[in-house]
Amino acid sequence: MLTESVPLMQAVVPVLPEMGLLLLLILVLMHGVFSPKESRRTVCVITGVGFFTLMVIHLSVGFNFVGDPDFSGSGLGDIVRVDAFAVMFRAMILLAAALTCLMSGESRAINRRVEFYVALIVAALGMCLMVAANDLILVYVALETASVSLYIMAGFQRDSKLSSEAGLKYYLFGAVTSAILLYGLSLIFGFTGETNFSRLGPALSALTANGSEGVFALVVALLLVLVGLGFKVAVVPFHFWTPDVYEGSPTPSVAFISTASKAASFGLLVRFFSIVWPAEMIPYWAGLLAALAAITMTLGNMLALVQKNIKRMLGYSSIAQAGYALIGVVALSDTELGAAAVAFYMAMYVLTNLAAFAVISAVEWNTGSVQIADYAGLSRRSFPLAIVMVVAMLSLGGVPPAAGFFGKFFLFSAAVDAGYTWLAIIGVVNAIIALFYYLTVIKVMFVGKAEDESRYTIRPRLAVVLWVTGVGILLMGTLASPWWRWAVEASQQLTVMLP
Amino acid sequence: MQFPFLTVITFAPIAAAVILFMMQEDSDLDPATDAEQIATLRMGYRTIAAAATFVSLLLGLFVYFGVNQAIGAGDTAQFFFEDGRWAWVPQIGIGYHMGVDGISAPMILLTGLASFTGVLISWRVDDRPREFFAFFLLLVAGVYGVFAALDVFLLFFFYELSIFPMYILIATWGWKVTREYGAMKLTLYILIGSILALVGVIAMYFLAVAAGIENMSFDLADFIRARDAGVYDQVVELPFNLGLATFARLWFPVIFIGFGILAGIFPFHNWSPDGHVAAPTAVSMIHAGVLMKLGAYSALRVGVMLLPEGARVHLPWIVLLALVNVVYGSLIAMVQRDFKYVIGFSSVSHMGLVSMGWATMNVTGMTGAGLQMFSHGVMTALFFATVGMVYDRAHTRDIPSLGGFWHKMPTVALAFIVGGLVSMGMPGLSGFVAEFPIFVGLWQASQTVTLGNGQIASYYALIAILAVVGIIVTAAYILRVVQRVFFGEFDEEKWHGEISDVTTLDKVAMGILAFWLILVGVYPAIMQPMVTHGVEPIARLLGGA
């Protein structure tokens, strides 16, 4: 079957999710224009189901084609390369988008306006291209497509000062760092005359073989690129936007920014560091990233300790989580476990943060508050919400049976395997510090007493999100084998694709 | 395939917890109109919890006597009742493998005793009983899992699994004054130790892989293979250019003390009294009775057993920490005004004897430590049960303001006295059976243990002498509590008839615990040979068999 339809499939499969997203975009726009105002309220469900269907199609097609020796995975004139790694990250992005849609129905800030879903679809489109990019130019275009839409989503609630501030801050920081990134990319292009990843590797190797001048030039380019990507994943010292954006933006926007955007950026980061940079560069970035990881984890956790606002706390927590995931990127330098550990960690992180934000949006819908103190008595007011939050917090803290335990275990294993035992120990100590504030949330929910202990209502749409994420986290945390195998296979393809 | 006893023992409480979580909440009902329905629901919660722990206890008894018989019949296998090995995450060598040896079989029994009696004693919990019992069962399952695990990753999985329910139990149902502080302190202390040990185990795994051990996995048997192949005697570089050391010497203290934190080893014992006092009665029982043994057991299983070369170097100074535990713990217990703190510090003191037993590195002393784990577990469970009963009625634990409770609750007083006698190491009770070999082991060690410079560690004899001071002080504080709380005049006016005798269920619970203390005391052969069988292979590694 494959051989007959190769030309068509060869062209379509690598960009199938993007094509689907474009169709969905048109559908949603038409729906917004032509349908009467009342039925427009269904837009969140339509988009959510659309994303979900796309994810299923993408996965089934992806599993059929990717890994097949007849299928090259290259599309759009080799600027896109689909491998198992891209399939996995695209699935995360689409799932995050789908669940964000279902969550957004509960948000008064979004109020089911069509523009939000348009921005969401475009952002997802950009991210899907990001994780499969095989060309410097596409890297930048995809990154900007995603970012601009995210700026809109962050500042979506125009009547709120905080939200506007978040949007503006995100935009200003983002614009500066992306300019720096672009400069770094242009340096790489200038040195080699190539933009395609497959040809960049050898060209860069030739450059480093030239001696210290070539290496120096590359280190400059590396630092510039790192600024841009570091901003996207919120690595210290490019993390300043995070708490404010998390606090100010509408909750569904934050859910999406903190999961899909982070996953996509890590996908790109891993691909960039494992494919583009030649092995001679490892001494220059491995130590630097290790130091960044240690600082990011520690600072993120320390600052999260004192937060009173749960969204702000999760903002700092997401900085710390980026630090943990960076451990995996560091480990890339020496073991293929590194990429697999990052992939697994991101998958678990996407599910976990979506679960947490689903609970936050439910509480916000019922009380209008995002203060941790207002979670008092949640276990009595809504046991399902409390239990999902417990699972999410345990997962972020790395406690079994939640997925985070395996996530951290794989990361620390990769670090030890790569000879970074000290980094694993810093990670472990940080995990304990972090547990303090995660447990505090749990404590408030179970021990605290609210004056008014009336029951919360949970909309069915949100219940779907709670079930999918809660069960998903527990599944990944107990039956971790299939997910880990997927991550390992994906990371192996990543290295095999090296020309 | 034989019936998977250990798996069922471990998962029965988890299944029951899931059932509880799916049952209707009693707080959904209005206490004014549906009082009867609420009572039925609560009865249901308790019955499920009691049934699950009872099933595990019965199967645990079966396992215990099965192991006992096999060892008595001269079976030379090290592990019994094995389930698995089934692949779990095969790509990184994680499997599911359970089994018990002569050390862990009594621990399984101990967990069963403490959990079942814990449920009986918590019969009257009325604040969200559904959640209370569900989390309690999760805690119990985690504890069973650690003792039964023969895969080191599985051991860690259950170890961490048991921490979180304990946090919730203490923080939510604990003593209102210190519960949040105590729960957080305990959780962070325990996790930091165990998770550092986990990094050590990961390092052990990758070192073995790098050394070319075939089919390496996290299974205990594979680590033993790697150990016997001399992988952990490899020389590695110390961080910060501190020189060279063998891997075992570098990591042994991290792993042993990491787990030792949960066994209350000095100077990391501080969480333990605070945690015990903050916890609700049933959780104190599990916590002091069983959880601290998790630490001592895992320190032996992962630390001493897999890194014997490190143990030989480091245990001769760790024994000093254990001595501080024994003496300092008992002295602090002596000056407490709070009844529960007395017991809390007595646990610190008694667990010091366990570490001391491991540190003797010979069969006699280690057998004593194994017995002490069981004896102290049952004894402390009994202690905390009695403290809870007194506190439930008197609403104070201030020793000077109590008195004469013998008159009102004679069974409780009797149970406390039995526990107290065990604690003092009175012959005829399990405490003597356990502590005597430890002291004999210490004397023996003073002639056999060699230090790094080739000298004989004769100071072990001095340690034995000093540790006896701890025992004497123990007698003092136990007798002081017995005298102040249970004997003397009962002040009818002060208590206004609030003090009533305990329920039948409470008496049954105390009876079960006291029975085992006496049984092991008068008939040590029921436990001692199997513990000896369990520690022999480990002692042989340390040169003490």
Side-chain angles (χ1 to χ4, degrees):
Chain A
M1 173 215 131
L2 189 63
T3 42
E4 286 163 26
S5 54
V6 157
L8 181 63
M9 283 306 184
Q10 198 73 271
V12 170
V13 169
V15 285
L16 193 64
E18 288 79 0
M19 291 165 66
L21 284 172
L22 277 177
L23 279 179
L24 186 64
L25 179 66
I26 295 167
L27 184 76
V28 169
L29 276 174
M30 289 299 140
H31 179 75
V33 175
F34 291 114
S35 59
K37 202 152 193 185
E38 307 81 60
S39 70
R40 229 175 270 169
R41 306 187 76 74
T42 54
V43 65
C44 66
V45 179
I46 293 177
T47 327
V49 171
F51 274 123
F52 198 75
T53 322
L54 273 178
M55 186 190 78
V56 172
I57 295 174
H58 161 68
L59 279 179
S60 53
V61 172
F63 279 132
N64 267 323
F65 283 86
V66 172
D68 191 311
D70 289 340
F71 176 74
S72 75
S74 119
L76 301 180
D78 205 30
I79 64 169
V80 170
R81 255 303 164 88
V82 176
D83 49 15
F85 195 75
V87 171
M88 191 173 177
F89 274 83
R90 280 177 170 182
M92 289 179 213
I93 293 163
L94 293 172
L95 180 70
L99 296 180
T100 305
C101 286
L102 295 181
M103 216 186 282
S104 65
E106 313 295 312
S107 168
R108 295 197 172 82
I110 308 280
N111 203 15
R112 298 177 200 163
R113 273 179 293 168
V114 163
E115 300 91 309
F116 180 80
Y117 301 95
V118 172
L120 184 65
I121 294 170
V122 175
L125 180 75
M127 290 169 187
C128 283
L129 284 173
M130 241 163 102
V131 293
N134 195 40
D135 193 285
L136 290 182
I137 295 175
L138 185 67
V139 166
Y140 187 71
V141 172
L143 202 91
E144 282 306 288
T145 312
S147 301
V148 171
S149 317
L150 291 180
Y151 305 148
I152 297 172
M153 286 168 71
F156 196 77
Q157 197 180 356
R158 271 168 305 176
D159 52 358
S160 149
K161 262 189 193 165
L162 279 179
S163 176
S164 308
E165 186 199 331
L168 190 64
K169 205 162 196 169
Y170 196 20
Y171 166 70
L172 288 177
F173 270 99
V176 172
T177 49
S178 85
I180 295 174
L181 170 76
L182 187 58
Y183 188 49
L185 296 182
S186 69
L187 278 184
I188 298 178
F189 172 70
F191 293 139
T192 59
E194 297 284 356
T195 57
N196 193 288
F197 283 5
S198 327
R199 291 190 295 273
L200 261 179
L204 289 173
S205 286
L207 198 62
T208 47
N210 269 346
S212 61
E213 266 176 44
V215 170
F216 176 73
L218 276 191
V219 169
V220 172
L222 174 97
L223 288 176
L224 296 176
V225 170
L226 206 56
V227 172
L229 293 179
F231 165 79
K232 293 296 292 178
V233 297
V235 166
V236 175
F238 315 111
H239 66 286
F240 291 105
W241 59 277
T242 315
D244 294 326
V245 169
Y246 275 54
E247 187 184 3
S249 311
T251 308
S253 308
V254 189
F256 192 67
I257 292 172
S258 79
T259 54
S261 168
K262 191 156 282 198
S265 311
F266 263 107
L268 180 60
L269 197 65
V270 168
R271 189 180 292 275
F272 214 86
F273 277 86
S274 61
I275 292 188
V276 175
W277 299 119
E280 298 84 44
M281 289 291 288
I282 285 176
Y284 296 97
W285 61 260
L288 175 68
L289 279 190
L292 279 185
I295 297 170
T296 306
M297 288 185 282
T298 314
L299 197 73
N301 279 326
M302 289 300 173
L303 293 173
L305 283 176
V306 294
Q307 301 305 321
K308 304 262 186 293
N309 178 314
I310 193 154
K311 280 162 84 176
R312 219 177 156 81
M313 184 204 92
L314 281 176
Y316 282 111
S317 134
S318 86
I319 297 174
Q321 301 286 342
Y324 298 131
L326 263 190
I327 297 179
V329 182
V330 173
L332 266 183
S333 58
D334 200 51
T335 166
E336 62 185 23
L337 281 182
V342 175
F344 186 94
Y345 200 80
M346 276 299 127
M348 101 61 206
Y349 175 75
V350 165
L351 275 178
T352 305
N353 252 23
L354 282 170
F357 280 109
V359 175
I360 291 174
S361 64
V363 172
E364 204 181 355
W365 169 262
N366 278 288
T367 64
S369 167
V370 287
Q371 299 301 316
I372 294 176
D374 291 323
Y375 282 69
L378 188 67
S379 72
R380 284 178 297 272
R381 303 188 72 173
S382 169
F383 192 69
L385 281 183
I387 213 77
V388 172
M389 196 63 163
V390 165
V391 170
M393 290 295 127
L394 291 184
S395 189
L396 286 174
V399 177
F405 181 64
F406 270 108
K408 290 218 168 62
F409 174 76
F410 292 142
L411 277 179
F412 297 150
S413 292
V416 172
D417 193 22
Y420 282 94
T421 310
W422 63 270
L423 193 58
I425 290 178
I426 292 183
V428 154
V429 172
N430 263 291
I432 304 293
I433 298 172
L435 208 61
F436 181 85
Y437 58 85
Y438 295 133
L439 283 179
T440 305
V441 175
I442 296 178
K443 181 191 79 188
V444 170
M445 294 190 305
F446 275 83
V447 185
K449 286 200 166 54
E451 282 176 16
D452 159 35
E453 296 225 328
S454 57
R455 297 302 161 101
Y456 286 162
T457 50
I458 303 175
R459 300 292 189 83
R461 278 191 303 272
L462 198 74
V464 171
V465 183
L466 295 175
W467 271 104
V468 170
T469 52
V471 171
I473 294 169
L474 290 179
L475 265 185
M476 278 186 86
T478 47
L479 305 173
S481 172
W483 314 96
W484 176 243
R485 193 171 59 225
W486 192 15
V488 169
E489 278 167 11
S491 67
Q492 279 164 352
Q493 282 202 15
L494 192 67
T495 37
V496 166
M497 297 277 292
L498 266 174
Chain B
M1 199 186 99
Q2 62 151 347
F3 183 72
F5 280 99
L6 293 169
T7 303
V8 176
I9 289 177
T10 308
F11 284 87
I14 293 184
V18 172
I19 294 173
L20 281 177
F21 275 135
M22 291 194 299
M23 283 174 76
Q24 199 192 359
E25 276 178 77
D26 60 347
S27 53
D28 275 345
L29 301 167
D30 184 2
T33 52
D34 302 314
E36 206 167 301
Q37 214 177 339
I38 289 180
T40 326
L41 265 180
R42 290 188 171 179
M43 200 57 181
Y45 303 151
R46 294 172 200 141
T47 319
I48 289 174
T53 46
F54 189 64
V55 166
S56 291
L57 171 61
L58 278 189
L59 292 175
L61 274 169
F62 186 87
V63 167
Y64 176 82
F65 283 108
V67 175
N68 201 354
Q69 223 162 21
I71 288 173
D75 194 333
T76 50
Q78 195 178 355
F79 295 105
F80 305 88
F81 289 96
E82 290 189 41
D83 297 340
R85 312 160 60 162
W86 298 306
W88 185 7
V89 187
Q91 297 85 4
I92 198 161
I94 296 172
Y96 179 90
H97 188 190
M98 286 190 158
V100 286
D101 66 354
I103 309 168
S104 49
M107 293 296 104
I108 297 277
L109 175 62
L110 167 67
T111 312
L113 292 172
S115 59
F116 179 60
T117 52
V119 171
L120 292 187
I121 281 171
S122 319
W123 211 250
R124 289 192 300 183
V125 167
D126 54 2
D127 176 23
R128 282 173 285 167
R130 182 183 77 136
E131 282 86 344
F132 177 84
F133 285 116
F135 284 123
F136 185 75
L137 288 169
L138 286 179
L139 167 64
V140 170
V143 175
Y144 272 127
V146 176
F147 288 132
L150 282 189
D151 183 285
V152 181
F153 180 85
L154 191 65
L155 184 144
F156 275 101
F157 188 83
F158 281 119
Y159 195 103
E160 316 282 325
L161 190 63
S162 63
I163 307 286
F164 157 70
M166 193 167 56
Y167 173 80
I168 285 275
L169 283 166
I170 297 177
T172 313
W173 288 274
W175 185 38
K176 287 194 174 57
V177 183
T178 60
R179 61 189 181 189
E180 293 175 16
Y181 166 74
M184 187 64 85
K185 186 169 177 179
L186 169 153
T187 310
L188 297 184
Y189 259 85
I190 294 176
L191 273 178
I192 186 86
S194 68
I195 211 159
L196 280 174
L198 178 60
V199 176
V201 168
I202 295 175
M204 284 162 72
Y205 170 77
F206 282 110
L207 195 66
V209 171
I213 301 290
E214 275 174 38
N215 299 325
M216 185 61 197
S217 75
F218 276 90
D219 198 276
L220 197 62
D222 285 328
F223 278 113
I224 291 175
R225 261 193 314 135
R227 175 198 76 196
D228 291 343
V231 171
Y232 304 127
D233 302 337
Q234 278 179 36
V235 174
V236 291
E237 258 180 68
L238 292 178
F240 311 115
N241 300 326
L242 285 176
L244 303 169
T246 65
F247 179 86
R249 288 185 195 188
L250 176 62
W251 278 101
F252 178 80
V254 177
I255 293 179
F256 191 89
I257 305 237
F259 281 122
I261 290 177
L262 183 48
I265 199 157
F266 180 85
F268 307 107
H269 64 286
N270 212 311
W271 60 273
S272 138
D274 285 331
H276 295 332
V277 170
T281 304
V283 180
S284 306
M285 289 168 65
I286 286 284
H287 185 251
V290 189
L291 240 92
M292 292 181 87
K293 278 79 200 169
L294 282 193
Y297 170 80
S298 311
L300 180 77
R301 182 66 90 218
V302 183
V304 180
M305 188 162 160
L306 298 181
L307 302 173
E309 207 263 344
R312 277 198 299 273
V313 174
H314 291 290
L315 282 180
W317 64 264
I318 288 176
V319 73
L320 300 172
L321 298 183
L323 176 68
V324 178
N325 264 47
V326 173
V327 178
Y328 173 78
S330 59
L331 286 173
I332 299 286
M334 185 81 204
V335 296
Q336 296 300 316
R337 274 173 69 103
D338 185 319
F339 196 6
K340 209 169 181 180
Y341 266 106
V342 175
I343 309 302
F345 278 104
S346 99
S347 284
V348 173
S349 162
H350 281 97
M351 286 309 290
L353 284 171
V354 175
S355 315
M356 211 177 256
W358 297 152
T360 61
M361 297 192 264
N362 54 48
V363 174
T364 322
M366 291 175 87
T367 303
L371 289 167
Q372 173 76 354
M373 288 208 291
F374 181 84
S375 160
H376 172 254
V378 178
M379 172 193 94
T380 306
L382 185 60
F383 271 152
F384 277 115
T386 53
V387 173
M389 289 169 199
V390 170
Y391 179 70
D392 280 348
R393 286 160 184 79
H395 304 291
T396 176
R397 294 189 306 256
D398 188 37
I399 294 171
S401 54
L402 297 166
F405 276 59
W406 173 276
H407 303 286
K408 291 293 170 184
M409 31 174 74
T411 338
V412 176
L414 193 64
F416 188 89
I417 291 168
V418 170
L421 294 176
V422 172
S423 183
M424 291 179 230
M426 197 60 72
L429 291 164
S430 62
F432 178 76
V433 174
E435 286 170 16
F436 187 69
I438 294 178
F439 287 103
V440 174
L442 282 171
W443 278 109
Q444 216 173 316
S446 69
Q447 286 146 20
T448 56
V449 171
T450 356
L451 296 177
N453 55 12
Q455 277 186 328
I456 299 288
S458 48
Y459 61 85
Y460 267 82
L462 192 64
I463 285 173
I465 295 168
L466 291 174
V468 170
V469 174
I471 307 292
I472 297 168
V473 180
T474 303
Y477 68 72
I478 291 291
L479 292 174
R480 169 174 160 262
V481 169
V482 170
Q483 184 227 336
R484 297 267 176 88
V485 175
F486 292 106
F487 293 127
E489 282 298 306
F490 183 78
D491 191 346
E492 284 288 353
E493 273 177 31
K494 184 172 173 188
W495 301 109
H496 301 297
E498 281 169 23
I499 312 297
S500 55
D501 198 8
V502 293
T503 62
T504 319
L505 280 178
D506 291 344
K507 287 179 189 166
V508 169
M510 291 187 295
I512 293 173
L513 294 172
F515 169 76
W516 276 92
L517 293 176
I518 298 166
L519 180 66
V520 175
V522 296
Y523 186 56
I526 201 171
M527 191 166 286
Q528 182 264 328
M530 60 195 284
V531 177
T532 305
H533 178 273
V535 297
E536 250 169 8
I538 302 174
R540 207 174 302 132
L541 295 169
L542 302 168

